[in-house]
Amino acid sequence: MKAVAKLAPGPGLSFITAPIPKIGRRDVLIKVKAAAICGTDVHIYEWDDWSRKRITPPLIFGHEFCGDIVEVGEGVSSVKLGQFVSVETHITCGHCFYCRQGMGHVCETMKIIGVDRDGCFAEYVAVPETACWPWEIEVPAEIAAIQDPYGNAVHTALSADLVGADVLITGMGPIGLAAIPVAQLSGARRVFVTDVSEYRLALARKLGADYALNPKNEDPVTFIKDLTQGRGVDVLLEVSGNPGAIKQGFASLRKAGTASLLGIPSKPVEFDIANDIVFKSIVVKGINGRRIWDTWFKGQALLAKGVDLSKLITHKMPLEEIEKGLELMKAGECGKVILYP
Ligand code: NAD
Ligand code: ZN
C-alpha cells in the first residue's frame, strides 16, 4: 500500500510503499476513505522538540480518519466486515485504574494512533475493534474523518452549562471553530470568539459566531464587559494555548464562571491565581481528548440535530499532495484539510 511516513529523525516526510498491516485476533483492518491533517502532524513533519522526544521512526503518521472495515480478526464481535467507521485515536488499555472507572480519556498506558503506532496517512490501518465508532446516522466521509477535533470541541463545550450562557471561545483553530455550532445548538445565548487571524475569524462567522474579535484591533475584554453589564461571560472555552488569550479569557470571565481549558501552551504560563481564580470563585476544568464514548454519543446526537461542520472543511486533496496541506496548516490559511489515499 502507499503511505506517508517519517523514516528517520529530522524534518520532512517520505512517500513509501509499505506492507498492508497484519491484524491480531481482536483487530480490524480499515480501508481509509478520508483522513485529515492535525496540528500534531505538522509538529511531526517539522520535527519540533515534542516530536523529538515522543516519536520513534519509522512511523506512518496521521490519526484523524474514517473508512470501511475490510478484514476482521477471529475474536472480533462488536463490528462487522463492510461497516463504515470512524476511529477513536486514543487506544485505551481497558483495565487500568482509570479505564475501570470509565475514565479511559486519561488511561495510564494510552497509545495514540499515528504517534505511538502506525497511522492513517496510508491506504490501510489496523486498529483494535474497541477503537471503532460505528455510525448510527448517515455522515459524509469528510465529517466522519474529523471526529477527533470535533470530539475535542464537544468535550470542551459540554463541560460547562451552556443553556442561556454567554460563551467566549479563545482560539479559532479547527477545535475552536467546531465548538461554535456545538455551543449555539446547546443553548448558548451569545458566542464571542477571538483569534489574531482574520482568515480564521471569517471562518468563525461562517460557523455561527455572534461576535468575532481580533485582539490586535480591539480589546476583547472591554468589548465583552460592555455587552454583559460589566460582568463578563459565563463560560470560557480556551482552545488556543496562547498565553495572551488565556489572560484575556480569564479577564473576560464573570465571577463564579466556568473556564474549560483545552489549549496547550508550549511552555509554562505565568498566572494570577489569587485574582483570576480564587477571589472570583472560578471553576477551572482541564480537557483532555474525548470521553470514551460519552463524547462520541453527544457529538453524534448534535450532528443529527443540525451541527453543520461542512464550512470547517476548506481543502480536499489526494494524499500525494499532503505537503501542500501541511504548509496551509502552518500558515493557518485553512480550516480542516482532507486527504484521500
Ligand atoms: P490551532 O493550534 O491552530 O489553533 C490555535 C488558534 O489560536 C489559531 O487559530 C491561532 O491563530 C489562535 N491564536 C493565537 N494567538 C491568539 C490570541 N492571542 N488570541 C486568540 N487566538 C489566538 O488548532 P487546534 O487544532 O484547534 O488546536 C488548538 C489548541 O488545542 C492547541 O493548543 C492544541 O495543541 C490543543 N489541543 C489540545 C488537545 C487536548 O486534548 N487537550 C487536543 C488537540 C489539540
Ligand atoms: Zn487504561
Side-chain angles (χ1 to χ4, degrees), residues 152 171-175 194-196 200 215 239-242 245 262-264 287-289:
N152 287 335
M172 289 293 105
I175 300 170
T194 62
D195 203 293
V196 290
R200 291 271 165 92
V239 208
S240 76
N242 179 278
L262 171 122
I264 304 172
I287 309 292
N288 185 22

Coordinates of all heavy atoms in Angstrom, one line a residue, residues 152 171-175 194-196 200 215 239-242 245 262-264 287-289, ligand 1:
N152 N -13.1 16.8 20.5 CA -12.4 17.7 21.5 C -13.3 18.9 21.7 O -13.5 19.4 22.9 CB -11.1 18.2 20.9 CG -10.0 17.1 20.9 OD1 -10.1 16.2 21.7 ND2 -9.1 17.3 20.0
G171 N -9.4 31.3 20.4 CA -8.6 30.5 19.5 C -9.5 29.8 18.5 O -10.3 28.9 18.9
M172 N -9.4 30.2 17.3 CA -10.3 29.7 16.2 C -9.6 28.7 15.3 O -9.7 28.7 14.1 CB -10.9 30.8 15.4 CG -11.9 31.6 16.2 SD -13.4 30.6 16.5 CE -13.2 30.2 18.2
G173 N -8.7 27.8 15.9 CA -8.3 26.7 15.2 C -9.5 25.8 14.9 O -10.6 26.1 15.3
P174 N -9.2 24.6 14.3 CA -10.4 23.7 14.0 C -11.2 23.4 15.2 O -12.4 23.3 15.1 CB -9.6 22.5 13.4 CG -8.4 23.0 12.8 CD -8.0 24.2 13.6
I175 N -10.6 23.2 16.3 CA -11.3 22.8 17.5 C -12.2 24.0 18.0 O -13.4 23.8 18.3 CB -10.4 22.3 18.7 CG1 -9.6 21.1 18.2 CG2 -11.2 21.9 19.9 CD1 -8.4 20.7 19.1
T194 N -12.4 34.8 19.8 CA -11.2 35.7 19.5 C -10.2 34.8 18.7 O -10.1 33.6 18.8 CB -10.5 36.2 20.7 OG1 -10.0 35.1 21.5 CG2 -11.4 37.0 21.6
D195 N -9.5 35.5 17.8 CA -8.3 35.0 17.1 C -7.6 36.2 16.6 O -8.1 37.2 16.3 CB -8.7 34.0 16.0 CG -7.6 33.0 15.7 OD1 -6.5 33.5 15.2 OD2 -7.7 31.8 16.0
V196 N -6.3 36.0 16.3 CA -5.4 37.0 15.7 C -5.4 36.9 14.2 O -4.7 37.7 13.6 CB -4.0 37.0 16.3 CG1 -4.0 37.5 17.8 CG2 -3.4 35.6 16.2
R200 N -9.2 33.1 10.0 CA -9.9 32.2 11.0 C -11.1 32.9 11.5 O -12.2 32.3 11.8 CB -8.9 31.8 12.1 CG -7.8 30.9 11.6 CD -8.3 29.4 11.7 NE -7.5 28.5 11.0 CZ -6.4 27.8 11.6 NH1 -6.0 28.0 12.8 NH2 -5.8 26.8 10.9
P215 N -8.0 40.6 18.9 CA -7.3 41.3 19.9 C -6.2 42.3 19.4 O -5.8 43.2 20.1 CB -6.6 40.3 20.8 CG -7.2 39.0 20.4 CD -7.7 39.1 19.0
V239 N -9.1 27.5 23.8 CA -8.7 26.5 22.8 C -7.6 27.0 21.9 O -7.4 26.6 20.8 CB -10.0 26.2 21.9 CG1 -9.8 24.7 21.4 CG2 -11.3 26.3 22.6
S240 N -6.8 28.0 22.5 CA -5.7 28.5 21.7 C -4.3 28.0 22.2 O -3.4 27.8 21.5 CB -5.7 30.0 21.7 OG -5.3 30.5 22.9
G241 N -4.2 27.9 23.5 CA -2.9 27.6 24.2 C -2.0 28.8 24.2 O -0.9 28.8 24.7
N242 N -2.6 30.0 23.8 CA -1.7 31.2 23.7 C -1.8 32.0 25.1 O -2.9 32.2 25.5 CB -2.3 32.1 22.6 CG -1.5 33.4 22.5 OD1 -1.7 34.3 23.2 ND2 -0.5 33.4 21.6
A245 N -4.1 35.0 25.1 CA -5.5 34.6 25.0 C -6.0 34.1 26.4 O -7.2 34.3 26.8 CB -5.7 33.6 23.9
L262 N -8.5 23.6 27.0 CA -8.1 22.5 26.2 C -6.8 22.9 25.5 O -5.9 22.0 25.2 CB -9.1 22.1 25.1 CG -8.7 21.2 24.1 CD1 -9.6 19.9 24.0 CD2 -8.6 21.8 22.7
G263 N -6.6 24.2 25.2 CA -5.3 24.6 24.5 C -4.1 24.3 25.3 O -4.1 24.3 26.5
I264 N -3.0 24.0 24.6 CA -1.8 23.5 25.2 C -0.7 24.6 25.0 O -0.2 24.7 23.9 CB -1.3 22.2 24.7 CG1 -2.5 21.1 24.9 CG2 -0.1 21.7 25.4 CD1 -2.2 19.8 24.2
I287 N -9.3 19.8 29.9 CA -10.0 18.9 29.0 C -8.9 18.2 28.2 O -8.2 18.8 27.5 CB -10.9 19.7 28.0 CG1 -11.8 20.7 28.8 CG2 -11.7 18.8 27.1 CD1 -12.9 20.0 29.6
N288 N -9.0 16.9 28.3 CA -8.0 16.0 27.6 C -8.8 15.1 26.6 O -9.5 14.3 27.1 CB -7.1 15.3 28.5 CG -6.1 14.5 27.9 OD1 -5.7 14.8 26.7 ND2 -5.6 13.4 28.5
G289 N -8.6 15.2 25.3 CA -9.2 14.3 24.4 C -10.7 14.3 24.5 O -11.3 15.3 24.7
Ligands
NAD1 P1 -4.5 25.7 16.4 O1 -3.4 25.3 17.3 O2 -4.2 26.1 15.0 O3 -5.5 26.8 17.0 C1 -4.9 27.9 17.7 C2 -5.6 29.2 17.3 O4 -5.3 30.1 18.3 C3 -5.0 29.7 15.9 O5 -6.1 29.9 15.0 C4 -4.3 30.9 16.4 O6 -4.3 32.0 15.4 C5 -5.1 31.3 17.6 N1 -4.4 32.3 18.5 C6 -3.1 32.6 18.6 N2 -2.9 33.6 19.4 C7 -4.1 34.0 19.8 C8 -4.6 35.0 20.7 N3 -3.7 35.9 21.3 N4 -5.9 35.2 20.9 C9 -6.8 34.4 20.3 N5 -6.4 33.4 19.5 C10 -5.1 33.2 19.2 O7 -5.6 24.5 16.2 P2 -6.3 23.4 17.1 O8 -6.0 22.1 16.4 O9 -7.7 23.8 17.1 O10 -5.7 23.3 18.5 C11 -6.0 24.3 19.5 C12 -5.2 24.0 20.8 O11 -5.6 22.8 21.4 C13 -3.7 23.8 20.5 O12 -3.0 24.5 21.6 C14 -3.5 22.3 20.6 O13 -2.2 22.0 21.0 C15 -4.5 21.9 21.6 N6 -5.0 20.6 21.6 C16 -5.4 20.0 22.8 C17 -5.9 18.8 22.9 C18 -6.3 18.2 24.2 O14 -6.7 17.0 24.2 N7 -6.2 18.9 25.3 C19 -6.1 18.0 21.7 C20 -5.8 18.6 20.5 C21 -5.3 19.9 20.5

